[in-house]
Amino acid sequence: MGKDTERTKMNESQKTDEQVRVRMAPSPTGFLHVGGARTALFNWLFARQHNGTFILRIDDTDAARSTDASMQEIFDALKWLGINWDEKYVQSERRNIYDRYVSQLLDSGHAYYCYCTQEELEEIRTESRKAKSTRSYDGRCRELSSDMVERYVSEGRKPTVRIKIPDRQIRVDDMILGSRNIDPLTLEDEVIVRSNGMPNYNLTSIVDDAEMQITHVIRGTEHLNNTPKQIVIATALGFNLPLFAHIPLVLDDTGRKLSKRHHGDLVAVNRYREQGYLPEAMLNFVARLGWSYDDKQEIFSVDELVEKFDLARVGKSGSVFDIKKLEWLNSHYINQLDVSARTDAVIPFWQQEGLLDATEERDWLERIVDAVGERLTTFQDIIPQTRYFFTDDYEYEPKAVKKWWGSSDEKKQSAREILTNLQQILTDIPTFDLETVESAVWKYTDENDIKRVAAMQAMRIALTGTSFGPSLFDIVVLLGKDEVLKRIDKALANL
RNA sequence: GCCCCCGUCGUCUAGCCUGGCCAAGGACACCGCCCUUUCACGGCGGCGACACGAGUUCAAAUCUCGUCGGGGGUACCA
């Protein structure tokens, strides 16, 4: 065993020093999800770090479930993340390659035709389960007589092709999980070609890894059990093995694997783009799921990730997808952007909401964004934060009204008084700039012994309908004198 | 059922390989205080974990075994 470990290590450094070739192999059966994005990122980082090649391979041998639309969606998501590929392959276009290797396996006796029907297989499975067997297929078609074959063929049965699991231990080396030996009794003669002639994942995957000269297979641990099967096929075909690195799964908050089927949009990368997340934040977030650099750094630029990422520092246990942390990172990256860039990012959201009518001046928009300041967690937040700048069609939030305008007649009267006075003051001031407005309002509150917060909040609700948001004086100036007076009128009528 | 993997604060993790520096550090979240025209931001503080049990050892989060717990796979899906 000591010898083997040594050899593995040698192998490893050799390959790292040589040309690194890695691949991401999504199946186009839906959108790219967070876990897939992480697999892509880890592969991509590893390739870039070693000046290697990152290959995108579309594993679409399941014609029934694969769609062009989802293939496109995966491309879009990867492009948005900035994960660019150097080579691209589509498995459904490579049938002849797989067929050639299947013939080779058949000819060399490493594989055989199986004529069992679905019903028969189901029966075998039930039986072996009852018998607590480690296998669910017994290999009964390994030695079919030519008579039987003839009979099956005449019945119109279309055979599958199965790989013969050899009778010896299979050694699996994994860069993250370590090495182990697999008892062949726990493996069974897997179907490698369907009865419709289309090869299966375990065949195409390892054949392509060899054909494409993949040096490191970095993929999720859901494939851990496939690895010995693929090693068997590779060995039968005389391939050199790539190095395997199985990264732990991304989990939901109940500890289950994130999947398109169970989690839907929550895990769709493209959905995060639409909601106003930054690719830098998504990348940073996903990189830290299972990987860490040290006990200090949380924020990593893409360049830093390329430099610092290390498979040896990827943990063995699964990580829960915590959107709160993603949000924190996103607001961090948004705040790194200058006002102009933030404005660019936010305009599509205003447009989508129908708030822009092309009369707004860029400068005014930028001032709004500036006033909003660090209050954005996602760009989508710009809508509730700034809606009232574009329309006076907003509701007065009941909770805010109750607190700052008051529920009793007495309190309402006092709020009405304040708003009326404020309106008068704002009408009278000579210029409508920040300093003038601010000092006039404070002069009024301080001289009349009115709490600043009470006056400000009463006016804020009048102008925005809510009790939170940017500095009130910014809002007042941005809205302009006419609009402010008009809105106070409206508030007075509603109070 | 069977096979495989995993197990440090609620979450992401540092520490584990090379036992003592760990009465376990950081970050997110949460709570409180400060700042403050609101909400955020920021500053300060708080809460909070080595799954359990044996063993080895002068010494165990770190090594060994067992138990328990969680997850993945078990298809003519990938």
PDB file of all heavy atoms in Angstrom, chain A residues 449-474:
ATOM      1  N   ASP A 449     -39.723  73.462  19.646  1.00  0.00           N
ATOM      2  CA  ASP A 449     -39.593  72.336  20.564  1.00  0.00           C
ATOM      3  C   ASP A 449     -40.275  71.073  20.037  1.00  0.00           C
ATOM      4  O   ASP A 449     -40.917  70.333  20.770  1.00  0.00           O
ATOM      5  CB  ASP A 449     -40.203  72.712  21.928  1.00  0.00           C
ATOM      6  CG  ASP A 449     -39.448  71.990  23.038  1.00  0.00           C
ATOM      7  OD1 ASP A 449     -38.288  71.577  22.795  1.00  0.00           O
ATOM      8  OD2 ASP A 449     -40.025  71.827  24.126  1.00  0.00           O
ATOM      9  N   ILE A 450     -40.118  70.875  18.741  1.00  0.00           N
ATOM     10  CA  ILE A 450     -40.655  69.655  18.127  1.00  0.00           C
ATOM     11  C   ILE A 450     -39.496  68.687  17.919  1.00  0.00           C
ATOM     12  O   ILE A 450     -38.415  69.094  17.501  1.00  0.00           O
ATOM     13  CB  ILE A 450     -41.307  69.991  16.769  1.00  0.00           C
ATOM     14  CG1 ILE A 450     -42.539  70.863  16.997  1.00  0.00           C
ATOM     15  CG2 ILE A 450     -41.684  68.706  16.024  1.00  0.00           C
ATOM     16  CD1 ILE A 450     -43.024  71.540  15.749  1.00  0.00           C
ATOM     17  N   LYS A 451     -39.736  67.436  18.231  1.00  0.00           N
ATOM     18  CA  LYS A 451     -38.677  66.444  18.020  1.00  0.00           C
ATOM     19  C   LYS A 451     -38.374  66.346  16.532  1.00  0.00           C
ATOM     20  O   LYS A 451     -39.275  66.184  15.720  1.00  0.00           O
ATOM     21  CB  LYS A 451     -39.134  65.069  18.528  1.00  0.00           C
ATOM     22  CG  LYS A 451     -38.896  64.871  20.000  1.00  0.00           C
ATOM     23  CD  LYS A 451     -39.127  63.409  20.363  1.00  0.00           C
ATOM     24  CE  LYS A 451     -39.019  63.205  21.863  1.00  0.00           C
ATOM     25  NZ  LYS A 451     -39.688  61.961  22.266  1.00  0.00           N
ATOM     26  N   ARG A 452     -37.084  66.411  16.227  1.00  0.00           N
ATOM     27  CA  ARG A 452     -36.689  66.345  14.827  1.00  0.00           C
ATOM     28  C   ARG A 452     -37.247  65.093  14.152  1.00  0.00           C
ATOM     29  O   ARG A 452     -37.784  65.138  13.040  1.00  0.00           O
ATOM     30  CB  ARG A 452     -35.167  66.340  14.700  1.00  0.00           C
ATOM     31  CG  ARG A 452     -34.547  67.706  14.970  1.00  0.00           C
ATOM     32  CD  ARG A 452     -33.050  67.655  14.801  1.00  0.00           C
ATOM     33  NE  ARG A 452     -32.457  68.995  14.923  1.00  0.00           N
ATOM     34  CZ  ARG A 452     -31.178  69.271  14.674  1.00  0.00           C
ATOM     35  NH1 ARG A 452     -30.366  68.296  14.288  1.00  0.00           N
ATOM     36  NH2 ARG A 452     -30.713  70.494  14.790  1.00  0.00           N
ATOM     37  N   VAL A 453     -37.098  63.992  14.836  1.00  0.00           N
ATOM     38  CA  VAL A 453     -37.499  62.725  14.232  1.00  0.00           C
ATOM     39  C   VAL A 453     -38.990  62.712  13.903  1.00  0.00           C
ATOM     40  O   VAL A 453     -39.400  62.169  12.874  1.00  0.00           O
ATOM     41  CB  VAL A 453     -37.107  61.529  15.135  1.00  0.00           C
ATOM     42  CG1 VAL A 453     -37.856  61.559  16.449  1.00  0.00           C
ATOM     43  CG2 VAL A 453     -37.336  60.212  14.413  1.00  0.00           C
ATOM     44  N   ALA A 454     -39.779  63.343  14.749  1.00  0.00           N
ATOM     45  CA  ALA A 454     -41.222  63.340  14.512  1.00  0.00           C
ATOM     46  C   ALA A 454     -41.564  64.113  13.245  1.00  0.00           C
ATOM     47  O   ALA A 454     -42.361  63.650  12.411  1.00  0.00           O
ATOM     48  CB  ALA A 454     -41.945  63.939  15.712  1.00  0.00           C
ATOM     49  N   ALA A 455     -40.935  65.269  13.098  1.00  0.00           N
ATOM     50  CA  ALA A 455     -41.206  66.084  11.924  1.00  0.00           C
ATOM     51  C   ALA A 455     -40.698  65.404  10.655  1.00  0.00           C
ATOM     52  O   ALA A 455     -41.391  65.339   9.635  1.00  0.00           O
ATOM     53  CB  ALA A 455     -40.535  67.448  12.091  1.00  0.00           C
ATOM     54  N   MET A 456     -39.500  64.880  10.755  1.00  0.00           N
ATOM     55  CA  MET A 456     -38.890  64.255   9.595  1.00  0.00           C
ATOM     56  C   MET A 456     -39.674  63.028   9.124  1.00  0.00           C
ATOM     57  O   MET A 456     -39.912  62.836   7.939  1.00  0.00           O
ATOM     58  CB  MET A 456     -37.459  63.812   9.925  1.00  0.00           C
ATOM     59  CG  MET A 456     -36.601  64.894  10.533  1.00  0.00           C
ATOM     60  SD  MET A 456     -36.028  66.087   9.339  1.00  0.00           S
ATOM     61  CE  MET A 456     -34.653  65.233   8.659  1.00  0.00           C
ATOM     62  N   GLN A 457     -40.063  62.214  10.068  1.00  0.00           N
ATOM     63  CA  GLN A 457     -40.764  60.988   9.693  1.00  0.00           C
ATOM     64  C   GLN A 457     -42.161  61.285   9.151  1.00  0.00           C
ATOM     65  O   GLN A 457     -42.618  60.626   8.223  1.00  0.00           O
ATOM     66  CB  GLN A 457     -40.841  60.021  10.877  1.00  0.00           C
ATOM     67  CG  GLN A 457     -39.516  59.345  11.206  1.00  0.00           C
ATOM     68  CD  GLN A 457     -38.977  58.491  10.077  1.00  0.00           C
ATOM     69  OE1 GLN A 457     -38.432  59.021   9.110  1.00  0.00           O
ATOM     70  NE2 GLN A 457     -39.146  57.183  10.173  1.00  0.00           N
ATOM     71  N   ALA A 458     -42.799  62.288   9.735  1.00  0.00           N
ATOM     72  CA  ALA A 458     -44.134  62.658   9.230  1.00  0.00           C
ATOM     73  C   ALA A 458     -44.011  63.078   7.768  1.00  0.00           C
ATOM     74  O   ALA A 458     -44.816  62.690   6.924  1.00  0.00           O
ATOM     75  CB  ALA A 458     -44.709  63.783  10.066  1.00  0.00           C
ATOM     76  N   MET A 459     -42.974  63.861   7.499  1.00  0.00           N
ATOM     77  CA  MET A 459     -42.783  64.330   6.132  1.00  0.00           C
ATOM     78  C   MET A 459     -42.325  63.189   5.210  1.00  0.00           C
ATOM     79  O   MET A 459     -42.739  63.097   4.064  1.00  0.00           O
ATOM     80  CB  MET A 459     -41.756  65.451   6.095  1.00  0.00           C
ATOM     81  CG  MET A 459     -41.549  65.997   4.700  1.00  0.00           C
ATOM     82  SD  MET A 459     -41.119  67.729   4.660  1.00  0.00           S
ATOM     83  CE  MET A 459     -39.467  67.735   5.289  1.00  0.00           C
ATOM     84  N   ARG A 460     -41.487  62.317   5.744  1.00  0.00           N
ATOM     85  CA  ARG A 460     -41.013  61.189   4.932  1.00  0.00           C
ATOM     86  C   ARG A 460     -42.184  60.344   4.430  1.00  0.00           C
ATOM     87  O   ARG A 460     -42.228  59.958   3.254  1.00  0.00           O
ATOM     88  CB  ARG A 460     -40.057  60.309   5.753  1.00  0.00           C
ATOM     89  CG  ARG A 460     -39.543  59.080   5.006  1.00  0.00           C
ATOM     90  CD  ARG A 460     -38.706  58.187   5.895  1.00  0.00           C
ATOM     91  NE  ARG A 460     -37.450  58.821   6.303  1.00  0.00           N
ATOM     92  CZ  ARG A 460     -36.360  58.900   5.544  1.00  0.00           C
ATOM     93  NH1 ARG A 460     -36.386  58.399   4.326  1.00  0.00           N
ATOM     94  NH2 ARG A 460     -35.273  59.492   5.987  1.00  0.00           N
ATOM     95  N   ILE A 461     -43.114  60.092   5.324  1.00  0.00           N
ATOM     96  CA  ILE A 461     -44.266  59.287   4.906  1.00  0.00           C
ATOM     97  C   ILE A 461     -45.073  60.037   3.856  1.00  0.00           C
ATOM     98  O   ILE A 461     -45.545  59.465   2.873  1.00  0.00           O
ATOM     99  CB  ILE A 461     -45.140  58.927   6.121  1.00  0.00           C
ATOM    100  CG1 ILE A 461     -44.358  58.008   7.061  1.00  0.00           C
ATOM    101  CG2 ILE A 461     -46.426  58.238   5.655  1.00  0.00           C
ATOM    102  CD1 ILE A 461     -44.957  57.899   8.439  1.00  0.00           C
ATOM    103  N   ALA A 462     -45.195  61.327   4.047  1.00  0.00           N
ATOM    104  CA  ALA A 462     -45.937  62.129   3.073  1.00  0.00           C
ATOM    105  C   ALA A 462     -45.268  62.030   1.695  1.00  0.00           C
ATOM    106  O   ALA A 462     -45.945  61.907   0.674  1.00  0.00           O
ATOM    107  CB  ALA A 462     -45.997  63.577   3.527  1.00  0.00           C
ATOM    108  N   LEU A 463     -43.960  62.087   1.678  1.00  0.00           N
ATOM    109  CA  LEU A 463     -43.249  62.140   0.399  1.00  0.00           C
ATOM    110  C   LEU A 463     -42.982  60.781  -0.232  1.00  0.00           C
ATOM    111  O   LEU A 463     -42.809  60.685  -1.445  1.00  0.00           O
ATOM    112  CB  LEU A 463     -41.909  62.868   0.579  1.00  0.00           C
ATOM    113  CG  LEU A 463     -41.978  64.312   1.091  1.00  0.00           C
ATOM    114  CD1 LEU A 463     -40.582  64.919   1.150  1.00  0.00           C
ATOM    115  CD2 LEU A 463     -42.892  65.156   0.236  1.00  0.00           C
ATOM    116  N   THR A 464     -42.910  59.741   0.600  1.00  0.00           N
ATOM    117  CA  THR A 464     -42.516  58.430   0.062  1.00  0.00           C
ATOM    118  C   THR A 464     -43.480  57.293   0.397  1.00  0.00           C
ATOM    119  O   THR A 464     -43.423  56.250  -0.234  1.00  0.00           O
ATOM    120  CB  THR A 464     -41.134  58.011   0.614  1.00  0.00           C
ATOM    121  OG1 THR A 464     -41.274  57.648   1.992  1.00  0.00           O
ATOM    122  CG2 THR A 464     -40.121  59.124   0.485  1.00  0.00           C
ATOM    123  N   GLY A 465     -44.325  57.516   1.387  1.00  0.00           N
ATOM    124  CA  GLY A 465     -45.244  56.457   1.781  1.00  0.00           C
ATOM    125  C   GLY A 465     -44.646  55.469   2.764  1.00  0.00           C
ATOM    126  O   GLY A 465     -45.336  54.615   3.289  1.00  0.00           O
ATOM    127  N   THR A 466     -43.323  55.571   2.973  1.00  0.00           N
ATOM    128  CA  THR A 466     -42.677  54.628   3.881  1.00  0.00           C
ATOM    129  C   THR A 466     -41.923  55.359   4.979  1.00  0.00           C
ATOM    130  O   THR A 466     -41.775  56.579   4.947  1.00  0.00           O
ATOM    131  CB  THR A 466     -41.653  53.740   3.148  1.00  0.00           C
ATOM    132  OG1 THR A 466     -40.525  54.540   2.806  1.00  0.00           O
ATOM    133  CG2 THR A 466     -42.240  53.147   1.889  1.00  0.00           C
ATOM    134  N   SER A 467     -41.428  54.590   5.928  1.00  0.00           N
ATOM    135  CA  SER A 467     -40.733  55.197   7.063  1.00  0.00           C
ATOM    136  C   SER A 467     -39.226  54.989   6.991  1.00  0.00           C
ATOM    137  O   SER A 467     -38.511  55.290   7.917  1.00  0.00           O
ATOM    138  CB  SER A 467     -41.265  54.590   8.363  1.00  0.00           C
ATOM    139  OG  SER A 467     -41.027  53.202   8.348  1.00  0.00           O
ATOM    140  N   PHE A 468     -38.793  54.421   5.873  1.00  0.00           N
ATOM    141  CA  PHE A 468     -37.354  54.189   5.769  1.00  0.00           C
ATOM    142  C   PHE A 468     -36.840  54.687   4.427  1.00  0.00           C
ATOM    143  O   PHE A 468     -37.622  55.004   3.532  1.00  0.00           O
ATOM    144  CB  PHE A 468     -37.055  52.693   5.892  1.00  0.00           C
ATOM    145  CG  PHE A 468     -37.650  51.887   4.780  1.00  0.00           C
ATOM    146  CD1 PHE A 468     -36.957  51.699   3.585  1.00  0.00           C
ATOM    147  CD2 PHE A 468     -38.937  51.351   4.897  1.00  0.00           C
ATOM    148  CE1 PHE A 468     -37.518  50.975   2.540  1.00  0.00           C
ATOM    149  CE2 PHE A 468     -39.499  50.623   3.842  1.00  0.00           C
ATOM    150  CZ  PHE A 468     -38.797  50.443   2.669  1.00  0.00           C
ATOM    151  N   GLY A 469     -35.539  54.767   4.307  1.00  0.00           N
ATOM    152  CA  GLY A 469     -34.964  55.181   3.032  1.00  0.00           C
ATOM    153  C   GLY A 469     -33.834  56.175   3.210  1.00  0.00           C
ATOM    154  O   GLY A 469     -33.349  56.381   4.317  1.00  0.00           O
ATOM    155  N   PRO A 470     -33.419  56.790   2.120  1.00  0.00           N
ATOM    156  CA  PRO A 470     -32.305  57.721   2.136  1.00  0.00           C
ATOM    157  C   PRO A 470     -32.594  58.934   3.020  1.00  0.00           C
ATOM    158  O   PRO A 470     -33.715  59.125   3.478  1.00  0.00           O
ATOM    159  CB  PRO A 470     -32.189  58.163   0.675  1.00  0.00           C
ATOM    160  CG  PRO A 470     -32.881  57.126  -0.119  1.00  0.00           C
ATOM    161  CD  PRO A 470     -33.943  56.578   0.766  1.00  0.00           C
ATOM    162  N   SER A 471     -31.584  59.727   3.201  1.00  0.00           N
ATOM    163  CA  SER A 471     -31.731  60.950   3.974  1.00  0.00           C
ATOM    164  C   SER A 471     -32.886  61.779   3.426  1.00  0.00           C
ATOM    165  O   SER A 471     -32.998  62.003   2.225  1.00  0.00           O
ATOM    166  CB  SER A 471     -30.434  61.759   3.895  1.00  0.00           C
ATOM    167  OG  SER A 471     -30.674  63.050   4.417  1.00  0.00           O
ATOM    168  N   LEU A 472     -33.745  62.227   4.331  1.00  0.00           N
ATOM    169  CA  LEU A 472     -34.939  62.928   3.904  1.00  0.00           C
ATOM    170  C   LEU A 472     -34.630  64.175   3.073  1.00  0.00           C
ATOM    171  O   LEU A 472     -35.325  64.486   2.104  1.00  0.00           O
ATOM    172  CB  LEU A 472     -35.787  63.300   5.112  1.00  0.00           C
ATOM    173  CG  LEU A 472     -37.103  63.981   4.775  1.00  0.00           C
ATOM    174  CD1 LEU A 472     -38.000  63.040   3.987  1.00  0.00           C
ATOM    175  CD2 LEU A 472     -37.809  64.452   6.027  1.00  0.00           C
ATOM    176  N   PHE A 473     -33.590  64.900   3.457  1.00  0.00           N
ATOM    177  CA  PHE A 473     -33.285  66.131   2.727  1.00  0.00           C
ATOM    178  C   PHE A 473     -32.844  65.834   1.292  1.00  0.00           C
ATOM    179  O   PHE A 473     -33.138  66.592   0.381  1.00  0.00           O
ATOM    180  CB  PHE A 473     -32.228  66.942   3.479  1.00  0.00           C
ATOM    181  CG  PHE A 473     -32.731  67.408   4.816  1.00  0.00           C
ATOM    182  CD1 PHE A 473     -32.104  67.022   5.997  1.00  0.00           C
ATOM    183  CD2 PHE A 473     -33.855  68.215   4.897  1.00  0.00           C
ATOM    184  CE1 PHE A 473     -32.592  67.439   7.227  1.00  0.00           C
ATOM    185  CE2 PHE A 473     -34.345  68.639   6.123  1.00  0.00           C
ATOM    186  CZ  PHE A 473     -33.713  68.250   7.300  1.00  0.00           C
ATOM    187  N   ASP A 474     -32.157  64.718   1.118  1.00  0.00           N
ATOM    188  CA  ASP A 474     -31.820  64.291  -0.243  1.00  0.00           C
ATOM    189  C   ASP A 474     -33.092  64.071  -1.055  1.00  0.00           C
ATOM    190  O   ASP A 474     -33.200  64.486  -2.203  1.00  0.00           O
ATOM    191  CB  ASP A 474     -31.022  62.977  -0.215  1.00  0.00           C
ATOM    192  CG  ASP A 474     -29.572  63.204   0.205  1.00  0.00           C
ATOM    193  OD1 ASP A 474     -29.102  64.348   0.079  1.00  0.00           O
ATOM    194  OD2 ASP A 474     -28.937  62.235   0.655  1.00  0.00           O
TER     195      ASP A 474
END
